[in-house]
């Protein structure tokens, strides 16, 4: 049975392909393939038309290889994405010293023949791993965004209701919402509290807790009310200030929701 080694040197948007047979017989001189539907389909058809068993190897460098390895795998071809160091250490170590895509593709094909029985086929686990990597990058991005939005809201509250972010230490809910943020959306200015009588505020706060499904504590309500008397606000209690706070709250809530959604998705993917 013929052994057909397909070496692919991947770069952004395109790849160089070399196809060798046992003992280094060249089936096809190195040729370029664009990472488009038609380009990948043409490569698949060419590989499928070769007599014998074909195995495809490419380096998992960055993310450029992902569309290629996925489509080749979906076509039921044996494809393996390997650590670039394995190619670098193979043979005469010429790969990447003098950069030549054609020479690199040939070297990868030779590695394929030499490591034929040790090659591991790309699988669903690899795909899930790629998904997790992508989600983790997104998670890190939105965590940073959430932190920035949190700091932004606190900075504005320091001008309208100093310390409002410190009244509650309840953990975030599954949807990412937090009690202090919801409190700030309703009581966005210290005058929203101290302009009421104590009993009026306690009643209003109790109804707010019930509506938002938070635990109500009369002593906490009294504590918040008494503290409000000593606070100094910088921005006035008007529609413009209210709009600024509302926007900051919405931005933080959106970031928090995204973080929790990604966390759930990552846990589900990891469980597979």
């Amino acid at each position: 049975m013929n052994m057909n080694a397909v070496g692919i040197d991947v770069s952004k948007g395109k790849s160089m392909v070399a196809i060798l047979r046992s003992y280094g017989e060249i089936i096809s001189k190195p040729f370029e393939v664009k990472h488009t539907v038609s380009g990948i389909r043409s490569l698949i058809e060419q590989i499928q038309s070769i007599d014998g068993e074909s195995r495809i190897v490419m380096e998992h460098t960055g993310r450029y290889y992902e569309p290629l390895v996925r489509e080749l795998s979906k076509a039921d071809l044996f494809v393996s994405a390997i650590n670039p160091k394995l190619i670098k250490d193979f043979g005469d170590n010429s790969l990447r010293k003098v950069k030549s895509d054609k020479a690199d593709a040939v070297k990868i094909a030779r590695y394929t023949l030499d490591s034929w029985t040790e090659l591991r086929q790309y699988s669903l686990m690899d795909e899930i791993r790629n998904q997790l990597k992508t989600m983790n990058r997104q998670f890190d991005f939105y965590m940073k965004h959430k932190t920035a939005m949190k700091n932004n809201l606190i900075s504005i509250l320091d001008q309208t209701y100093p310390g409002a972010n410190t009244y509650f230490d309840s953990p975030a809910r599954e949807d990412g919402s937090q009690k202090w943020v919801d409190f700030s959306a309703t009581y966005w200015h210290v005058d929203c509290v101290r302009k009421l009588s104590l009993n009026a505020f306690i009643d209003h706060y109790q109804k707010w807790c019930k509506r938002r499904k938070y635990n109500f504590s009369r002593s906490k309500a009294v504590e918040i009310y008494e503290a409000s008397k000593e606070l100094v606000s910088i921005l006035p209690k008007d529609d413009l200030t209210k709009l600024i706070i509302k926007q900051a709250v919405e931005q933080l809530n959106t970031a928090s929701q995204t973080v929790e959604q990604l966390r759930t998705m990552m846990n589900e993917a990891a469980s597979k």
Side-chain angles (χ1 to χ4, degrees):
M1 179 185 68
N2 290 324
M3 294 163 50
N4 307 309
V6 182
I8 302 182
D9 182 60
V10 182
S11 57
K12 185 176 182 179
K14 62 182 180 179
S15 295
M16 188 63 67
V17 182
I19 307 176
L20 305 180
R21 190 164 280 166
S22 303
Y23 307 110
E25 177 189 351
I26 298 177
I27 299 177
S28 176
K29 292 181 179 180
F31 59 94
E32 187 177 276
V33 172
K34 292 184 178 180
H35 295 179
T36 61
V37 173
S38 58
I40 296 175
R41 183 184 297 125
S42 176
L43 175 61
I44 291 171
E45 291 173 352
Q46 182 169 347
I47 295 172
Q48 290 175 333
S49 69
I50 305 172
D51 292 333
E53 180 183 358
S54 297
R55 294 195 173 185
I56 309 161
V57 169
M58 66 188 73
E59 299 171 319
H60 55 67
T61 305
R63 299 188 60 189
Y64 299 151
Y65 77 100
E66 291 177 1
L68 199 58
V69 72
R70 177 178 171 82
E71 292 304 312
L72 293 173
S73 182
K74 284 170 61 177
D76 294 324
L77 293 170
F78 186 106
V79 56
S80 183
I82 65 172
N83 191 320
K85 189 175 186 304
L86 295 175
I87 302 297
K88 181 180 180 181
D89 294 343
F90 174 71
D92 60 5
N93 296 327
S94 63
L95 189 60
R96 311 225 186 281
K97 285 187 177 180
V98 179
K99 180 64 180 173
S100 167
D101 293 344
K102 292 182 180 180
D104 291 352
V106 170
K107 183 172 184 180
I108 295 172
R110 287 175 178 160
Y111 172 87
T112 305
L113 289 172
D114 190 72
S115 309
W116 190 269
T117 58
E118 288 82 33
L119 295 174
R120 184 178 67 82
Q121 187 167 6
Y122 181 85
S123 66
L124 175 61
M125 289 304 298
D126 294 288
E127 189 167 304
I128 292 173
R129 194 174 293 111
N130 287 336
Q131 287 178 327
L132 281 168
K133 287 180 180 178
T134 299
M135 285 189 286
N136 189 58
R137 284 192 290 266
Q138 289 295 100
F139 184 82
D140 288 344
F141 172 81
Y142 280 104
M143 275 298 294
K144 292 176 182 177
H145 184 62
K146 176 184 174 180
T147 299
M149 292 302 99
K150 175 184 175 181
N151 292 337
N152 177 62
L153 176 57
I154 292 174
S155 175
I156 300 172
L157 286 173
D158 284 344
Q159 303 176 72
T160 63
Y161 199 148
N165 59 295
T166 65
Y167 290 153
F168 312 102
D169 55 7
S170 307
R173 291 175 168 176
E174 289 186 1
D175 63 356
S177 61
Q178 294 177 273
K179 190 172 183 179
W180 75 268
V181 179
D182 289 342
F183 179 88
S184 301
T186 300
Y187 304 101
W188 51 274
H189 196 283
V190 67
D191 285 346
C192 294
V193 175
R194 64 186 176 197
K195 290 298 182 180
L196 301 174
S197 67
L198 174 59
N199 288 335
F201 171 71
I202 291 174
D203 181 64
H204 192 279
Y205 175 71
Q206 184 174 20
K207 291 177 180 177
W208 176 84
C209 287
K210 183 178 181 180
R211 187 169 63 253
R212 294 282 186 168
K213 295 182 173 57
Y214 288 118
N215 293 328
F216 167 73
S217 167
R218 182 182 178 84
S219 62
K220 172 60 74 172
V222 173
E223 176 189 333
I224 291 172
Y225 185 81
E226 292 300 324
S228 72
K229 297 177 181 179
E230 297 298 323
L231 298 177
V232 177
S233 59
I234 299 173
L235 295 177
K237 183 177 179 291
D238 59 20
D239 289 342
L240 181 57
T241 300
K242 182 177 181 180
L243 177 61
I244 293 172
I245 293 288
K246 293 286 186 181
Q247 288 178 335
V249 167
E250 289 175 4
Q251 290 169 351
L252 175 54
N253 281 336
T254 298
S256 297
Q257 289 168 9
T258 302
V259 165
E260 295 310 313
Q261 288 171 355
L262 283 168
R263 194 194 306 276
T264 299
M265 290 165 59
M266 289 170 67
N267 289 336
E268 291 175 352
S271 69
K272 296 179 182 179

